[in-house]
Amino acid sequence: MRFSPLHFLLLAAPFAYANEALDVLEGKIDANSIILPPREIPEGEEAEQERVENIIYLPPEWAPSPLDAVWSRSVLYDNSANPFIQQFAVAGQYDFSASFGKAETIPSGAIPARNTDLDGTRSRRARLGARILAFNNTEIEAMGEFAGDTQYRGVERLKAYTQVSETTGVTLGKFRPNFGTESRIEPSLSPYPYRGTLTNMVAPPAALGVSIHHAGETLDYDIGWFSSDFDPDFGSMDRDGMFNLSVSRTFVERTGDTLARTKWHVDYLHNFDAGRSNPQGYDLAGRRSANGNQLIVQNPAYRHLFSVGVKMDSDSSSFSGDFQFAKGDSTVWGLTLGATHWLIPGTLNLVGRYQYAGTDDPRGIVAAPGNSGDLRYDASPFFAGDEYHSFYLGTNLHLYKDSLLIRNGVEYMILNDEVGNSFNTEAFTWQTGAQLSF
Amino acid sequence: MKSILLALALITPAFAVGFDTEGFGQRLNGWKKNRTAVYDFTDASYRTHMPTITETTDGGIYISTQVDLIAFGDAGAISHIDMTFSRGGTLLSAQLRSTIGRKTIDTGLVRRPEEPVPPVAVEGQPAPKAMPFNAAEELIIELFNRYDAEMRKVSEGKDAEKRDLFSRLGGSKNAKSANLAAGLRHNCNLMLLHVGGGAK
């Protein structure tokens, strides 16, 4: 029997391992053939230490699709070696929607019944702009809105986000302040035809401002200042403006086989110019509501806006929740809950949303059901009340990824007027629409 | 000094093993101007790139071939077949790597297996038949066993890929429905056929 190094090793096992090291250095035995003893665990240390896993959630990818070659043409220039501009792409969105239904105002006492027709079609959004990646650290977005009337059409956004350091970035220009779960979602990626009623009523749209973003160990912070002067193009920055503070936390959880990413946020917006400015942008003062012919004396003005919400995403479904509270001339509050689920992954998405809004002020809630949704776009007809409920259930058919889709859904709205003259209204509408974005 | 080098050069046999790239390409519909061959194999479209051949230090060759599964003009899955041959044309090792979307499958390097020890004849019993052993064949079988195991691991998770309506109607095969392993095996077999010089 030929003696191999292993035999010597076994014989020499009880002795110190230093001899083995010497033999390896002298080339007598191969380093790989030495079996090391188990690691000596010093006293006090756990026998089995839990390895902290840093899980990253990656959303499911889109599979290749026949129209990829057409959509990739939106990137006009792509060269990461260029020190000035790395990428230039055109971006746009066209959203056409139609609604069919009516709102019924239930008679109460001397108040007669009133029906409001909610049929209509409109180009809800027609946007064209560009996205530029520049100086290896800056992302510039410019978007012009061409739909709607003069109060709506204009510069939808013009902003530049510069990554100053690994954890800090600055955004400058005209953009939406961080308020609410829905304001953080790009409109072309929203599963619903329009943002919630309370968001449309209290959240300011894009305004000139600056915001600093800092990603901490566990929490992310955003601090910003915005102009309170609404203008379809660029407002003035004369007045005191609005202060915006936002704290958010993102974490990834594993339940069995599936991963889910959850993002919590807390937003606060303080309007120093409440009462002498109109950052929301819509103008209802002097107009009458369609349900009870109630007169809106002045546009709602809020000084404090507070929102806490959550967004959970997993492979096949998502959930969003948002509680909002606004205090100024009147006090309004509300809760929005939304959920989506892929019936056919990538093709058919089932979406649902429940909204609640309440106020202690009669006519404190203004809603525009049906086609409009956004008071700034087209507030006719609009309804006023103090307790609002809405249920939306629909399906989105994705023809081409997130860029070409057809929406269909039904919405049931209840708007009660408990504090005032009881102009309780119910509206049932079927909403359909198509969206193209790039 | 010079004469010794010359003598050594003459004694050392010339580069013995070669790869018939033209023949390989012919079997795959012929090489196009951009050095790729596009062909159909079991209802899926593939694109094979002209292999890269490098000489190894012991006189053998290392061949690396990229095979793409085509989906709507773009590469649905990109795979690499690496094979190392000895100077005599014997397959020494092989490796398969595939990237499907975000996931990667790697079989690791599979080496040529040792010939098994023939069973010992026992007195009084009929002589046991020696099983025919083809080392290259065993290597390829082991390679694809590992590939299928890795593919199963990757597909075991929920089907998290999203396919829009046009993609579903378009009928192009993705890496799961097309028999990607069969396409790669087809390429492996053709590569083995076109390695020249010496027994396998």
Side-chain angles (χ1 to χ4, degrees):
Chain A
M1 192 169 81
R2 198 169 64 83
F3 272 105
S4 72
L6 190 60
H7 292 99
F8 281 114
L9 198 66
L10 289 169
L11 289 168
F15 301 99
Y17 284 86
N19 286 333
E20 265 80 54
L22 203 57
D23 289 334
V24 169
L25 286 169
E26 288 175 3
K28 287 185 190 158
I29 46 176
D30 180 20
N32 288 331
S33 67
I34 297 179
I35 306 155
L36 292 171
R39 184 176 78 98
E40 274 174 37
I41 300 162
E43 258 179 53
E45 219 174 85
E46 294 289 317
E48 285 213 11
Q49 271 181 334
E50 251 189 57
R51 279 182 48 220
V52 176
E53 264 183 61
N54 201 11
I55 322 171
I56 300 170
Y57 174 75
L58 294 170
E61 270 194 354
W62 282 105
S65 188
L67 295 177
D68 280 342
V70 176
W71 251 259
S72 62
R73 286 180 206 276
S74 68
V75 180
L76 299 178
Y77 178 77
D78 194 357
N79 180 9
S80 46
N82 187 325
F84 300 109
I85 297 179
Q86 287 77 57
Q87 199 185 80
F88 184 95
V90 289
Q93 182 189 358
Y94 180 71
D95 194 336
F96 179 81
S97 64
S99 98
F100 306 98
K102 67 172 188 280
E104 290 176 359
T105 305
I106 295 140
S108 155
I111 315 297
R114 197 196 296 264
N115 283 350
T116 314
D117 185 20
L118 294 173
D119 291 351
T121 62
R122 49 174 49 113
S123 296
R124 183 69 182 74
R125 283 187 185 93
R127 296 181 176 176
L128 190 62
R131 250 180 234 123
I132 304 166
L133 290 178
F135 306 112
N136 285 309
N137 65 352
T138 303
E139 215 177 285
I140 302 170
E141 277 181 53
M143 197 73 82
E145 174 69 74
F146 299 95
D149 59 13
T150 46
Q151 268 298 89
Y152 192 77
R153 220 178 292 153
V155 176
E156 194 267 327
R157 88 182 75 150
L158 179 62
K159 67 174 191 176
Y161 173 74
T162 302
Q163 189 84 35
V164 171
S165 75
E166 239 186 62
T167 54
T168 311
V170 180
T171 312
L172 192 69
K174 184 179 182 189
F175 56 102
R176 262 192 119 85
N178 268 330
F179 186 78
T181 312
E182 289 185 302
S183 77
R184 287 173 161 80
I185 300 172
E186 187 65 43
S188 57
L189 297 175
S190 169
Y192 311 105
Y194 52 85
R195 292 194 182 93
T197 294
L198 193 60
T199 306
N200 282 332
M201 205 173 86
V202 309
L208 275 179
V210 58
S211 177
I212 299 172
H213 172 82
H214 177 76
E217 283 273 323
T218 47
L219 300 173
D220 292 345
Y221 305 89
D222 285 84
I223 300 177
W225 178 92
F226 294 87
S227 154
S228 61
D229 177 29
F230 172 80
D231 191 286
D233 294 323
F234 300 104
S236 77
M237 308 211 348
D238 307 343
R239 301 205 192 109
D240 299 334
M242 305 187 288
F243 167 75
N244 181 215
L245 173 67
S246 175
V247 179
S248 63
R249 180 160 184 244
T250 309
F251 54 92
V252 180
E253 279 178 321
R254 186 196 295 273
T255 33
D257 247 352
T258 50
L259 285 179
R261 174 181 57 198
T262 307
K263 180 169 179 171
W264 283 94
H265 70 86
V266 175
D267 303 325
Y268 175 68
L269 197 67
H270 184 96
N271 185 3
F272 292 104
D273 301 317
R276 53 172 194 266
S277 70
N278 184 15
Q280 288 99 287
Y282 53 82
D283 192 10
L284 301 173
R287 292 173 59 182
R288 292 188 173 272
S289 70
N291 55 337
N293 209 31
Q294 300 125 302
L295 175 70
I296 304 289
V297 176
Q298 61 186 33
N299 291 316
Y302 304 106
R303 185 173 292 275
H304 305 277
L305 285 94
F306 174 78
S307 152
V308 58
V310 64
K311 181 118 190 349
M312 272 170 36
D313 294 293
S314 73
D315 283 353
S316 57
S317 40
S318 80
F319 170 78
S320 68
D322 199 8
F323 171 76
Q324 293 180 9
F325 178 86
K327 185 169 168 57
D329 291 350
S330 61
T331 307
V332 298
W333 55 86
L335 178 71
T336 307
L337 301 170
T340 70
H341 179 76
W342 285 108
L343 294 175
I344 305 172
T347 304
L348 197 62
N349 202 7
L350 181 70
V351 304
R353 181 172 66 179
Y354 166 68
Q355 299 174 62
Y356 162 72
T359 179
D360 53 6
D361 179 27
R363 282 157 279 150
I365 292 170
V366 186
N371 228 346
S372 181
D374 192 328
L375 295 168
R376 220 164 26 99
Y377 176 90
D378 181 352
S380 70
F382 73 88
F383 297 75
D386 50 46
E387 188 185 314
Y388 172 89
H389 299 268
S390 153
F391 301 85
Y392 177 83
L393 186 68
T395 55
N396 294 344
L397 180 68
H398 289 247
L399 299 177
Y400 173 69
K401 298 189 176 173
D402 281 320
S403 307
L404 203 56
L405 54 95
I406 295 176
R407 288 198 193 97
N408 274 297
V410 290
E411 183 165 29
Y412 178 59
M413 179 201 85
I414 301 169
L415 186 57
N416 290 338
D417 187 26
E418 301 298 325
V419 179
N421 297 60
S422 297
F423 297 110
N424 295 348
T425 310
E426 279 178 13
F428 188 84
T429 50
W430 169 44
Q431 294 173 38
T432 183
Q435 179 180 283
L436 166 92
S437 62
F438 54 91
Chain B
M1 186 61 188
K2 259 195 215 169
S3 55
I4 297 169
L5 287 171
L6 197 61
L8 280 171
L10 288 169
I11 294 166
T12 317
F15 179 53
V17 62
F19 185 73
D20 180 16
T21 312
E22 261 319 303
F24 178 55
Q26 289 291 336
R27 293 293 298 266
L28 301 171
N29 259 357
W31 297 118
K32 303 206 293 208
K33 272 209 190 76
N34 60 356
R35 299 166 62 88
T36 63
V38 178
Y39 53 96
D40 286 336
F41 184 75
T42 50
D43 77 354
S45 294
Y46 290 88
R47 173 172 51 230
T48 301
H49 297 244
M50 212 180 259
T52 313
I53 305 163
T54 336
E55 292 124 36
T56 58
T57 45
D58 62 352
I61 55 169
Y62 166 78
I63 308 174
S64 177
T65 311
Q66 180 178 327
V67 179
D68 304 333
L69 172 67
I70 303 174
F72 300 119
D74 228 353
I78 299 175
S79 310
H80 291 266
I81 306 171
D82 303 325
M83 287 184 178
T84 309
F85 294 87
S86 74
R87 153 189 317 169
T90 329
L91 179 64
L92 293 177
S93 64
Q95 183 170 8
L96 276 181
R97 280 167 294 137
S98 284
T99 309
I100 304 163
R102 239 183 252 134
K103 305 194 178 90
T104 328
I105 299 174
D106 191 352
T107 57
L109 195 68
V110 180
R111 289 185 194 280
R112 186 184 184 81
E114 296 263 338
E115 204 163 308
V117 175
V120 178
V122 174
E123 231 180 75
Q125 302 230 338
K129 230 181 354 181
M131 298 297 292
F133 181 76
N134 183 338
E137 190 66 37
E138 294 295 318
L139 203 167
I140 298 291
I141 290 171
E142 172 64 24
L143 183 72
F144 279 94
N145 277 343
R146 282 204 209 176
Y147 187 79
D148 288 338
E150 292 290 309
M151 177 70 104
R152 260 196 301 276
K153 265 193 251 173
V154 154
S155 339
E156 222 147 66
K158 277 201 304 200
D159 190 344
E161 200 183 46
K162 297 192 288 193
R163 300 185 76 192
D164 56 51
L165 187 68
F166 286 162
S167 169
R168 285 179 194 270
L169 295 177
S172 175
K173 300 278 181 179
N174 63 355
K176 255 189 215 91
S177 50
N179 198 345
L180 183 59
L184 293 175
R185 189 134 188 189
H186 179 66
N187 276 273
C188 283
N189 288 336
L190 288 178
M191 281 166 74
L192 287 170
L193 275 177
H194 289 89
V195 168
K200 291 203 184 63

CSV table of all heavy atoms in Angstrom, one decimal, chain A residues 95-126:
chain,number,residue,atom,x,y,z
A,95,ASP,N,-54.5,60.1,-23.0
A,95,ASP,CA,-55.5,59.4,-22.2
A,95,ASP,C,-56.9,59.8,-22.7
A,95,ASP,O,-57.2,61.0,-22.5
A,95,ASP,CB,-55.3,59.7,-20.7
A,95,ASP,CG,-56.1,58.7,-19.8
A,95,ASP,OD1,-57.1,58.1,-20.3
A,95,ASP,OD2,-55.6,58.6,-18.7
A,96,PHE,N,-57.7,58.9,-23.2
A,96,PHE,CA,-59.0,59.3,-23.7
A,96,PHE,C,-60.0,58.5,-22.8
A,96,PHE,O,-59.8,57.3,-22.6
A,96,PHE,CB,-59.2,58.9,-25.1
A,96,PHE,CG,-60.5,59.2,-25.7
A,96,PHE,CD1,-60.9,60.4,-26.1
A,96,PHE,CD2,-61.5,58.2,-25.7
A,96,PHE,CE1,-62.1,60.7,-26.6
A,96,PHE,CE2,-62.8,58.4,-26.2
A,96,PHE,CZ,-63.1,59.7,-26.6
A,97,SER,N,-61.0,59.2,-22.3
A,97,SER,CA,-61.9,58.4,-21.4
A,97,SER,C,-63.4,58.9,-21.7
A,97,SER,O,-63.6,60.0,-22.2
A,97,SER,CB,-61.6,58.6,-20.0
A,97,SER,OG,-61.7,60.0,-19.6
A,98,ALA,N,-64.2,57.9,-21.4
A,98,ALA,CA,-65.7,58.2,-21.6
A,98,ALA,C,-66.4,57.6,-20.4
A,98,ALA,O,-66.0,56.7,-19.8
A,98,ALA,CB,-66.2,57.4,-22.8
A,99,SER,N,-67.5,58.3,-20.0
A,99,SER,CA,-68.2,57.8,-18.9
A,99,SER,C,-69.7,57.9,-19.2
A,99,SER,O,-70.2,58.7,-20.0
A,99,SER,CB,-67.9,58.6,-17.6
A,99,SER,OG,-68.9,59.6,-17.4
A,100,PHE,N,-70.4,56.9,-18.7
A,100,PHE,CA,-71.9,56.8,-18.9
A,100,PHE,C,-72.6,56.6,-17.6
A,100,PHE,O,-72.2,55.6,-16.9
A,100,PHE,CB,-72.2,55.7,-19.9
A,100,PHE,CG,-71.4,55.8,-21.2
A,100,PHE,CD1,-70.2,55.1,-21.4
A,100,PHE,CD2,-71.8,56.7,-22.2
A,100,PHE,CE1,-69.5,55.2,-22.5
A,100,PHE,CE2,-71.1,56.8,-23.4
A,100,PHE,CZ,-69.9,56.1,-23.5
A,101,GLY,N,-73.5,57.4,-17.3
A,101,GLY,CA,-74.3,57.2,-16.0
A,101,GLY,C,-75.0,58.5,-15.6
A,101,GLY,O,-75.0,59.5,-16.4
A,102,LYS,N,-75.5,58.5,-14.5
A,102,LYS,CA,-76.2,59.7,-14.0
A,102,LYS,C,-76.1,59.7,-12.5
A,102,LYS,O,-75.9,58.7,-11.8
A,102,LYS,CB,-77.6,59.8,-14.5
A,102,LYS,CG,-78.6,58.8,-14.0
A,102,LYS,CD,-80.0,59.2,-14.4
A,102,LYS,CE,-81.0,58.3,-13.8
A,102,LYS,NZ,-81.2,57.0,-14.5
A,103,ALA,N,-76.3,60.9,-12.0
A,103,ALA,CA,-76.3,61.1,-10.5
A,103,ALA,C,-77.7,61.5,-10.1
A,103,ALA,O,-78.4,62.3,-10.8
A,103,ALA,CB,-75.3,62.2,-10.1
A,104,GLU,N,-78.2,60.9,-9.1
A,104,GLU,CA,-79.6,61.2,-8.6
A,104,GLU,C,-79.5,61.9,-7.2
A,104,GLU,O,-78.9,61.3,-6.3
A,104,GLU,CB,-80.4,59.9,-8.4
A,104,GLU,CG,-80.7,59.2,-9.7
A,104,GLU,CD,-81.4,57.9,-9.5
A,104,GLU,OE1,-81.6,57.5,-8.3
A,104,GLU,OE2,-81.7,57.2,-10.5
A,105,THR,N,-80.1,63.0,-7.1
A,105,THR,CA,-80.2,63.7,-5.8
A,105,THR,C,-81.6,63.3,-5.2
A,105,THR,O,-82.6,63.5,-5.8
A,105,THR,CB,-80.1,65.2,-6.0
A,105,THR,OG1,-78.9,65.5,-6.7
A,105,THR,CG2,-80.1,65.9,-4.7
A,106,ILE,N,-81.5,62.6,-4.1
A,106,ILE,CA,-82.7,62.1,-3.5
A,106,ILE,C,-83.5,63.2,-2.9
A,106,ILE,O,-83.0,64.1,-2.2
A,106,ILE,CB,-82.3,61.1,-2.4
A,106,ILE,CG1,-81.6,59.9,-3.1
A,106,ILE,CG2,-83.5,60.6,-1.6
A,106,ILE,CD1,-80.5,59.3,-2.4
A,107,PRO,N,-84.8,63.2,-3.1
A,107,PRO,CA,-85.6,64.3,-2.6
A,107,PRO,C,-85.7,64.3,-1.1
A,107,PRO,O,-85.7,63.2,-0.5
A,107,PRO,CB,-87.0,64.1,-3.2
A,107,PRO,CG,-87.0,62.7,-3.6
A,107,PRO,CD,-85.6,62.3,-3.9
A,108,SER,N,-85.7,65.4,-0.5
A,108,SER,CA,-85.8,65.5,1.0
A,108,SER,C,-86.6,66.7,1.4
A,108,SER,O,-86.2,67.9,1.1
A,108,SER,CB,-84.4,65.6,1.6
A,108,SER,OG,-84.4,66.2,2.8
A,109,GLY,N,-87.8,66.5,2.0
A,109,GLY,CA,-88.6,67.6,2.4
A,109,GLY,C,-89.0,68.4,1.2
A,109,GLY,O,-89.6,67.9,0.2
A,110,ALA,N,-88.7,69.7,1.2
A,110,ALA,CA,-89.1,70.6,0.1
A,110,ALA,C,-88.2,70.5,-1.1
A,110,ALA,O,-88.4,71.0,-2.1
A,110,ALA,CB,-89.2,72.0,0.6
A,111,ILE,N,-87.0,69.8,-0.9
A,111,ILE,CA,-86.0,69.8,-1.9
A,111,ILE,C,-86.5,68.7,-3.0
A,111,ILE,O,-86.7,67.6,-2.6
A,111,ILE,CB,-84.6,69.4,-1.4
A,111,ILE,CG1,-84.3,70.2,-0.1
A,111,ILE,CG2,-83.6,69.5,-2.5
A,111,ILE,CD1,-84.2,71.7,-0.3
A,112,PRO,N,-86.6,69.1,-4.2
A,112,PRO,CA,-87.1,68.1,-5.2
A,112,PRO,C,-86.0,67.2,-5.7
A,112,PRO,O,-84.8,67.5,-5.4
A,112,PRO,CB,-87.5,69.0,-6.4
A,112,PRO,CG,-86.7,70.2,-6.3
A,112,PRO,CD,-86.3,70.4,-4.8
A,113,ALA,N,-86.4,66.1,-6.3
A,113,ALA,CA,-85.4,65.2,-6.9
A,113,ALA,C,-84.7,65.9,-8.1
A,113,ALA,O,-85.3,66.7,-8.7
A,113,ALA,CB,-86.0,63.9,-7.3
A,114,ARG,N,-83.5,65.5,-8.3
A,114,ARG,CA,-82.7,66.2,-9.4
A,114,ARG,C,-81.8,65.1,-10.0
A,114,ARG,O,-81.1,64.4,-9.2
A,114,ARG,CB,-81.9,67.3,-8.8
A,114,ARG,CG,-81.4,68.3,-9.8
A,114,ARG,CD,-80.3,69.2,-9.2
A,114,ARG,NE,-80.8,69.9,-8.0
A,114,ARG,CZ,-81.2,71.2,-8.1
A,114,ARG,NH1,-81.1,71.8,-9.3
A,114,ARG,NH2,-81.6,71.8,-7.1
A,115,ASN,N,-81.8,65.0,-11.3
A,115,ASN,CA,-80.9,64.0,-11.9
A,115,ASN,C,-79.9,64.8,-12.7
A,115,ASN,O,-80.2,65.8,-13.4
A,115,ASN,CB,-81.7,63.1,-12.9
A,115,ASN,CG,-82.4,62.0,-12.1
A,115,ASN,OD1,-82.2,61.9,-10.9
A,115,ASN,ND2,-83.3,61.3,-12.8
A,116,THR,N,-78.7,64.4,-12.6
A,116,THR,CA,-77.6,65.0,-13.4
A,116,THR,C,-77.0,64.0,-14.4
A,116,THR,O,-76.6,62.9,-13.9
A,116,THR,CB,-76.5,65.6,-12.5
A,116,THR,OG1,-77.1,66.3,-11.4
A,116,THR,CG2,-75.6,66.5,-13.2
A,117,ASP,N,-77.0,64.3,-15.6
A,117,ASP,CA,-76.4,63.4,-16.6
A,117,ASP,C,-74.9,63.4,-16.5
A,117,ASP,O,-74.3,64.5,-16.5
A,117,ASP,CB,-76.9,63.8,-18.0
A,117,ASP,CG,-76.4,62.9,-19.1
A,117,ASP,OD1,-76.1,61.7,-18.7
A,117,ASP,OD2,-76.4,63.3,-20.2
A,118,LEU,N,-74.3,62.3,-16.4
A,118,LEU,CA,-72.8,62.2,-16.3
A,118,LEU,C,-72.2,61.6,-17.5
A,118,LEU,O,-71.1,61.1,-17.5
A,118,LEU,CB,-72.4,61.4,-15.1
A,118,LEU,CG,-72.8,62.0,-13.7
A,118,LEU,CD1,-72.4,61.1,-12.6
A,118,LEU,CD2,-72.0,63.3,-13.5
A,119,ASP,N,-72.9,61.6,-18.7
A,119,ASP,CA,-72.4,61.0,-19.9
A,119,ASP,C,-71.4,62.0,-20.5
A,119,ASP,O,-71.6,63.2,-20.4
A,119,ASP,CB,-73.4,60.8,-21.0
A,119,ASP,CG,-74.4,59.7,-20.6
A,119,ASP,OD1,-74.1,59.0,-19.6
A,119,ASP,OD2,-75.4,59.5,-21.3
A,120,GLY,N,-70.3,61.5,-21.0
A,120,GLY,CA,-69.4,62.4,-21.7
A,120,GLY,C,-68.1,61.7,-22.1
A,120,GLY,O,-67.8,60.6,-21.6
A,121,THR,N,-67.4,62.3,-23.0
A,121,THR,CA,-66.1,61.8,-23.5
A,121,THR,C,-65.2,62.9,-23.4
A,121,THR,O,-65.5,64.1,-23.6
A,121,THR,CB,-66.2,61.2,-24.9
A,121,THR,OG1,-66.5,62.3,-25.8
A,121,THR,CG2,-67.1,60.1,-25.1
A,122,ARG,N,-63.9,62.6,-23.2
A,122,ARG,CA,-62.9,63.7,-23.2
A,122,ARG,C,-61.5,63.2,-23.4
A,122,ARG,O,-61.3,62.0,-23.0
A,122,ARG,CB,-63.0,64.6,-22.0
A,122,ARG,CG,-63.1,63.9,-20.7
A,122,ARG,CD,-63.0,64.9,-19.6
A,122,ARG,NE,-64.0,66.0,-19.7
A,122,ARG,CZ,-65.0,66.2,-18.9
A,122,ARG,NH1,-65.2,65.4,-17.9
A,122,ARG,NH2,-65.8,67.2,-19.1
A,123,SER,N,-60.7,64.0,-23.9
A,123,SER,CA,-59.2,63.7,-23.9
A,123,SER,C,-58.7,64.1,-22.5
A,123,SER,O,-58.6,65.3,-22.3
A,123,SER,CB,-58.5,64.4,-24.9
A,123,SER,OG,-58.9,64.0,-26.2
A,124,ARG,N,-58.6,63.2,-21.6
A,124,ARG,CA,-58.3,63.5,-20.3
A,124,ARG,C,-56.9,64.0,-20.1
A,124,ARG,O,-56.6,64.9,-19.3
A,124,ARG,CB,-58.5,62.2,-19.5
A,124,ARG,CG,-58.3,62.3,-18.0
A,124,ARG,CD,-59.4,63.2,-17.4
A,124,ARG,NE,-59.2,63.2,-15.9
A,124,ARG,CZ,-58.2,64.0,-15.4
A,124,ARG,NH1,-57.5,64.7,-16.2
A,124,ARG,NH2,-58.0,64.0,-14.1
A,125,ARG,N,-55.9,63.5,-20.8
A,125,ARG,CA,-54.5,64.0,-20.7
A,125,ARG,C,-53.9,63.8,-22.1
A,125,ARG,O,-54.1,62.9,-22.8
A,125,ARG,CB,-53.7,63.1,-19.8
A,125,ARG,CG,-53.9,63.4,-18.3
A,125,ARG,CD,-52.9,62.6,-17.5
A,125,ARG,NE,-53.2,62.8,-16.1
A,125,ARG,CZ,-54.0,61.9,-15.4
A,125,ARG,NH1,-54.5,60.9,-15.9
A,125,ARG,NH2,-54.2,62.2,-14.1
A,126,ALA,N,-53.2,64.9,-22.5
A,126,ALA,CA,-52.4,64.8,-23.8
A,126,ALA,C,-51.1,65.5,-23.5
A,126,ALA,O,-51.0,66.7,-23.4
A,126,ALA,CB,-53.2,65.6,-24.9
